[in-house]
Amino acid sequence: MHPPVRDPNTLSTLIQTSSSSAQPLLTLWTASWCSTCRQILPLIQDLIEKEKVGEAHGGVGFVEVEYDAPGNEEGGMRYMINSVPTLLAFSRGEAQVESKVVKKGELADREFLRGWVEREARRGGEGGAGGQGILGALFGRRSV
């Protein structure tokens, strides 16, 4: 777990660090005015910190990204964050947009989130050049 990200440089550093460790970085994009975000944050933190979901597959990193902090809007656009809250995983330095979670029903569903964290942990550094990143999602490229 990392402290909340309030600037794009910190997010870049965390993405690079997770890339070198081959441990996926899960990001929860939030905003100060978002009441739903305040409900989802403790739920995902509990799954990762207390229940250790994903640990059997090497674990995951997690950080809250404050979308409405000055400068973070650019990162939100870069990673196609259209609404908050949004869960987005990074694997080997690439945003895994095909597994991005934005539906409020899914974000509030503990069992759905458990499965999502497990899947991202199993990715365990797969993805990146071998997975479907932003360009692949934009242009319909599928990983082999």
Side-chain angles (χ1 to χ4, degrees):
M1 296 287 177
H2 303 281
V5 169
R6 294 183 176 93
D7 68 90
N9 292 334
T10 302
L11 180 58
S12 286
T13 299
L14 290 172
I15 292 169
Q16 289 174 348
T17 302
S18 77
S19 177
S20 65
S21 73
Q23 187 180 64
L25 176 67
L26 308 184
T27 59
L28 176 62
W29 293 72
T30 66
S32 58
W33 47 264
C34 175
S35 60
T36 305
C37 299
R38 289 189 295 276
Q39 295 169 350
I40 301 215
L41 179 61
L43 178 60
I44 193 85
Q45 286 175 322
D46 188 58
L47 287 168
I48 295 169
E49 287 180 358
K50 292 182 183 168
E51 294 186 29
K52 306 291 185 203
V53 174
E55 286 292 316
H57 303 289
V60 295
F62 175 77
V63 68
E64 173 190 8
V65 181
E66 295 180 359
Y67 182 78
D68 59 347
N72 270 352
E73 309 88 13
E74 185 179 310
M77 289 186 290
R78 179 178 185 188
Y79 300 117
M80 296 185 284
I81 305 300
N82 302 329
S83 62
V84 291
T86 293
L87 277 170
L88 176 63
F90 290 84
S91 184
R92 290 194 180 173
E94 273 195 31
Q96 302 301 305
V97 295
E98 79 280 359
S99 65
K100 178 170 66 170
V101 182
V102 295
K103 294 179 182 172
K104 291 194 181 11
E106 292 175 346
L107 288 163
D109 182 336
R110 186 178 198 86
E111 291 311 308
F112 175 85
L113 291 175
R114 179 187 310 281
W116 184 81
V117 172
E118 287 286 341
R119 282 188 301 280
E120 293 304 326
R122 275 194 302 274
R123 186 185 305 270
E126 295 173 7
Q132 181 176 343
I134 290 176
L135 293 178
L138 285 174
F139 299 108
R141 188 193 89 205
R142 288 280 196 213
S143 59
V144 198

